[in-house]
Amino acid sequence: MAIDIQDLVVLWKKRPVAIGCGVLSLVLLAGSYLRSSRVGELGDLLKQKEEEGQKILDNIGNGSGLAKQYESLTATTKDLESRLVRSSERARNQQYFYRIESDTGVKEVNLQPVQAGATAQKGPKTLYTGVGYTISVKGDFRQILDFLGHLENGQHFFRLSSATVSREGQRGGPDASNAITLTLNLELLGLP
Amino acid sequence: MLSLLQKSDQSAGSLAPAWHPNFRDHERLPDTKVVRTQFFVNFVAIAVAACLLLYFSYQEYRINSLGHQVADWQAQIDTNRKSSEQTVALAKKFADEEKKIDELNGFLKQRLVLSQFLQHLGNSMPPNLAFDIVDVRDTGVDLRGIAAGTPDEASGHTSAYVEQLKQDKALNAIFEDVVLNRLERDQANGRLTFDVFLRFKGAGTKK
């Protein structure tokens, strides 16, 4: 049943069109099979390039006006940072409280810096740190409110940890007065 | 008689099929069907080849088209890449600066503005009550003081004040609970002392 060249020649002579079309079909089938993977590859590559290109376009689109906003933000943060205290500058920090004391008329009873570890909060590393102080002042109700107002709206950023407001002396006793003692545990926002 | 017999033999012989060798070569004889087989074979072969050719051409067209699209995107990416990188770098710097603002906001986020709170307490306090201590803690504020009047009146003033604190809209925004912890007579001066605790919202367990 073996087919030799002579048989093929005879077959070719007998049906040249059919044989030619058959050979062409085989060639086209093989070609299609070999090139089919290229379509998939290019499709994936196109998808990847589209995503990359779109991301780049989005970046550019989202970034319009960013330079101006960044400039404005930098100016703001610079201004804010000028209001921070430095934990190492103890004398200057205490001077801040003394100035408020003289402005408001309260009498300072006690002013102590708090150890850094005592106020440090657990969590992610922060850019700024709270510089802790315990301060006790004495004065009448108006002066105390004024003192608090100066702290709350003062040059440095202030956070209250705890506070005690207590009346001075025994009520109705010989040492009774309008004086109030305010003890604050507070933090001023500062640079480490 | 014999000839008659012979004649009859001849008539019988003419009825038998005449045999002769068939020399026809079917391979070389023309196809006499109405539509030749060759036509069908060629038609099918050409149709199959044409279909495959169309398919192959379409596939090549797609490959070519995809190649062009990839090249176009790549050209666009190359053009915009530098600008995008600059924007991303600026956005990172912006995020770093933004972190500073967020940190500051976190630092300044307080439950209570003490000066306003004290002023509010002072303004809303009934005349027959007086505070000795206002203690601000993590969980809330402790108010300790005395109530004037007979024990009966004093306890009435205190419970009315606790009710007033509970109904206070400004305080309701800060505190979730107001509890009278203690109400007892001070043996030294006979006055009724009270201890009211205002618990911050979300401060956890009750005192």
Side-chain angles (χ1 to χ4, degrees):
Chain A
M1 198 60 195
I3 299 171
D4 56 23
I5 295 172
Q6 209 167 357
D7 293 338
L8 288 174
V9 170
V10 170
L11 198 65
W12 168 253
K13 281 183 178 167
K14 195 176 168 189
R15 300 191 195 280
V17 174
I19 298 295
C21 287
V23 170
L24 179 65
S25 298
L26 284 174
V27 169
L28 289 171
L29 268 177
S32 293
Y33 173 73
L34 291 173
R35 298 281 280 168
S36 63
S37 61
R38 183 77 184 136
V39 178
E41 280 168 21
L42 280 172
D44 291 345
L45 186 64
L46 179 64
K47 203 175 168 189
Q48 184 192 325
K49 293 289 174 193
E50 272 176 352
E51 281 171 8
E52 191 184 347
Q54 198 55 54
K55 196 177 163 188
I56 283 174
L57 287 176
D58 288 347
N59 283 343
I60 293 169
N62 294 334
S64 63
L66 187 64
K68 210 171 179 182
Q69 289 172 23
Y70 175 69
E71 235 171 70
S72 157
L73 185 64
T74 314
T76 306
T77 50
K78 211 171 182 180
D79 180 43
L80 294 176
E81 281 182 346
S82 70
R83 295 175 62 186
L84 302 181
V85 296
R86 287 183 185 276
S87 52
S88 55
E89 294 176 348
R90 191 172 160 178
R92 186 181 276 191
N93 297 344
Q94 293 200 187
Q95 191 188 16
Y96 174 65
F97 294 108
Y98 295 138
R99 197 172 294 145
I100 296 177
E101 182 197 357
S102 66
D103 285 351
T104 57
V106 294
K107 191 180 173 216
E108 183 230 306
V109 180
N110 182 33
L111 175 61
Q112 290 287 322
V114 178
Q115 293 283 332
T119 55
Q121 290 182 347
K122 285 180 181 175
K125 200 182 169 189
T126 54
L127 298 161
Y128 306 128
T129 183
V131 181
Y133 280 94
T134 298
I135 182 167
S136 291
V137 291
K138 200 194 283 185
D140 62 27
F141 188 60
R142 274 288 140 222
Q143 288 171 328
I144 292 291
L145 283 184
D146 200 16
F147 178 79
L148 278 171
H150 270 72
L151 275 179
E152 285 164 355
N153 305 303
Q155 186 202 347
H156 298 309
F157 297 109
F158 151 91
R159 176 164 68 184
L160 185 72
S161 302
S162 67
T164 305
V165 185
S166 56
R167 198 178 55 78
E168 276 288 299
Q170 195 72 26
R171 195 180 295 278
D175 58 343
S177 70
N178 286 332
I180 292 171
T181 302
L182 170 72
T183 304
L184 297 172
N185 283 309
L186 58 91
E187 284 177 306
L188 297 177
L189 189 65
L191 293 164
Chain B
M1 202 55 194
L2 185 63
S3 63
L4 279 171
L5 284 169
Q6 280 174 342
K7 201 175 179 179
S8 78
D9 284 349
Q10 277 173 355
S11 62
S14 66
L15 289 172
W19 178 88
H20 61 83
N22 185 0
F23 292 108
R24 280 179 292 194
D25 183 355
H26 289 282
E27 295 287 316
R28 298 185 65 182
L29 283 173
D31 193 349
T32 54
K33 287 179 203 147
V34 177
V35 182
R36 292 181 183 182
T37 310
Q38 184 90 357
F39 174 78
F40 283 116
V41 171
N42 287 348
F43 177 78
V44 170
I46 288 168
V48 168
C51 286
L52 284 169
L53 187 66
L54 273 175
Y55 176 74
F56 184 76
S57 304
Y58 174 68
Q59 188 173 273
E60 284 304 307
Y61 167 74
R62 275 200 69 197
I63 288 171
N64 194 285
S65 164
L66 286 170
H68 273 109
Q69 287 180 56
V70 168
D72 286 349
W73 273 108
Q74 188 58 53
Q76 200 174 10
I77 288 166
D78 292 342
T79 310
N80 295 332
R81 190 187 297 277
K82 199 178 173 186
S83 174
S84 166
E85 281 171 358
Q86 283 172 348
T87 307
V88 169
L90 191 62
K92 197 179 173 301
K93 282 185 188 171
F94 188 91
D96 289 343
E97 288 296 313
E98 203 180 17
K99 252 186 225 169
K100 293 177 182 175
I101 303 286
D102 288 344
E103 207 169 297
L104 180 68
N105 279 337
F107 182 85
L108 294 176
K109 200 175 171 185
Q110 295 209 50
R111 286 170 164 162
L112 195 69
V113 180
L114 188 58
S115 59
Q116 288 176 10
F117 175 70
L118 291 177
Q119 203 157 14
H120 184 74
L121 278 186
N123 291 339
S124 62
M125 190 174 65
N128 34 32
L129 295 182
F131 294 125
D132 285 330
I133 293 176
V134 177
D135 192 7
V136 182
R137 294 179 239 152
D138 280 349
T139 50
V141 180
D142 205 10
L143 306 175
R144 273 170 275 166
I146 58 159
T150 63
D152 178 36
E153 287 169 345
S155 59
H157 296 322
T158 310
S159 55
Y161 183 54
V162 170
E163 207 50 46
Q164 180 194 319
L165 290 176
K166 282 182 180 172
Q167 303 300 324
D168 193 315
K169 282 183 181 170
L171 297 180
N172 279 344
I174 306 165
F175 302 101
E176 65 179 20
D177 203 8
V178 180
V179 184
L180 177 64
N181 277 336
R182 192 170 53 85
L183 182 64
E184 58 191 27
R185 191 180 297 187
D186 186 349
Q187 296 301 327
N189 55 26
R191 284 174 172 164
L192 216 60
T193 62
F194 64 86
D195 181 346
V196 177
F197 186 71
L198 295 91
R199 191 155 53 92
F200 283 130
K201 280 188 172 173
T205 53
K206 289 186 180 183
K207 191 195 167 190

